[in-house]
Amino acid sequence: MKNPAHPAALAASVASEFNDELTLLLNELVFTLDLLGREHPASRRLKSAHHAALRCTGITGSLLEYTRRAGAATRTVLLRELLEEDD
C-alpha cells in the first residue's frame, strides 16, 4: 500500500457508514412497532432489536469520539481503491 490511510481516519469512515445504517435500522424498527402496535406478539422482539441497535449507536459514537480525539481528519475512503493500491 503506497499511501495507507491513517487508521483513525479509516475507523471514522467505517463508523460513520455503520452509523448511517443503524439510523435506517432504528427508523424501520420504530415504524414497524408503530404499524403493528405495542400489543402485537412480535413487539417484544422488535423492542429488543431496537434496544440492541441503540446500544450499537453508543459504541459507534464512542468510536467516532475516539477518532476525533486522535486527530484524524475524516474523509471518504473507498475500500476498493485501498485494495487496488495493494496490487
Side-chain angles (χ1 to χ4, degrees):
M1 197 180 283
K2 295 176 187 171
N3 297 318
H6 189 281
L10 186 57
S13 179
V14 171
S16 180
E17 289 294 322
F18 189 71
N19 197 48
D20 291 346
E21 296 300 320
L22 278 172
T23 300
L24 292 172
L25 176 64
L26 285 164
N27 286 335
E28 287 298 319
L29 286 167
V30 169
F31 175 76
T32 303
L33 276 166
D34 289 343
L35 185 67
L36 294 177
R38 305 292 175 178
E39 301 304 318
H40 190 276
S43 70
R44 187 173 57 105
R45 289 180 186 237
L46 290 168
K47 287 176 189 176
S48 178
H50 185 263
H51 185 69
L54 284 174
R55 285 193 312 268
C56 289
T57 62
I59 294 167
T60 304
S62 295
L63 183 57
L64 287 168
E65 179 60 31
Y66 163 76
T67 60
R68 283 187 209 103
R69 284 193 312 259
T74 57
R75 65 182 176 91
T76 301
V77 177
L78 297 176
L79 184 57
R80 177 175 47 249
E81 290 176 3
L82 291 175
L83 294 175
E84 288 172 355
E85 287 180 7
D86 279 342
D87 295 337

